[in-house]
Amino acid sequence: MDTPFAKAKRQAMSANFKPQKLVARLTELLETRKESAREASLSSNLDHQAMRRFLDGQRPNMIACILLADHFEINPNELLELGGWPTLNAFNVKTASAENLPSEAVEVAIDVAKIADPGLRKEVAEAIKTLLKKHFSS
């Protein structure tokens, strides 16, 4: 049985937060969008200095993680996890059963899933989708 959310949140609040991975991911997202910390903060409906505080190592609260993820169009669970918070089932992505997919599609999905860097994994997935759109629009 999963740990109740309230207990998981209390445990997360008392855990030692290590900001390095979150800072690296936020920096990557800003660079990818060619956006300043201030622009990202305001576009996320946070105060103008929020992103700067997070880049300096301050831990964002759960709502800030969700708002930033929405702004950057990524799964909120990614930033929640990097922020040391429990992930939420509401953001779990439902996947198609491999039984219903052709073996070559499963092989591609498995190869993409092996990419450890979430930003690179998303870029590769977007590139594949772009190729498919071009193929089917011809």
Side-chain angles (χ1 to χ4, degrees), residues 2 123 137:
D2 291 338
E123 286 180 35
S137 66

Side-chain angles (χ1 to χ4, degrees), residues 29-58:
L29 291 166
L30 289 172
E31 289 172 359
T32 300
R33 285 200 174 218
K34 298 175 177 43
E35 192 171 41
S36 72
R38 179 184 174 88
E39 290 169 329
S41 292
L42 294 173
S43 295
S44 300
N45 292 311
L46 298 169
D47 71 84
H48 71 284
Q49 286 294 316
M51 181 66 87
R52 177 61 40 216
R53 289 191 303 272
F54 306 149
L55 292 171
D56 288 341
Q58 182 178 327

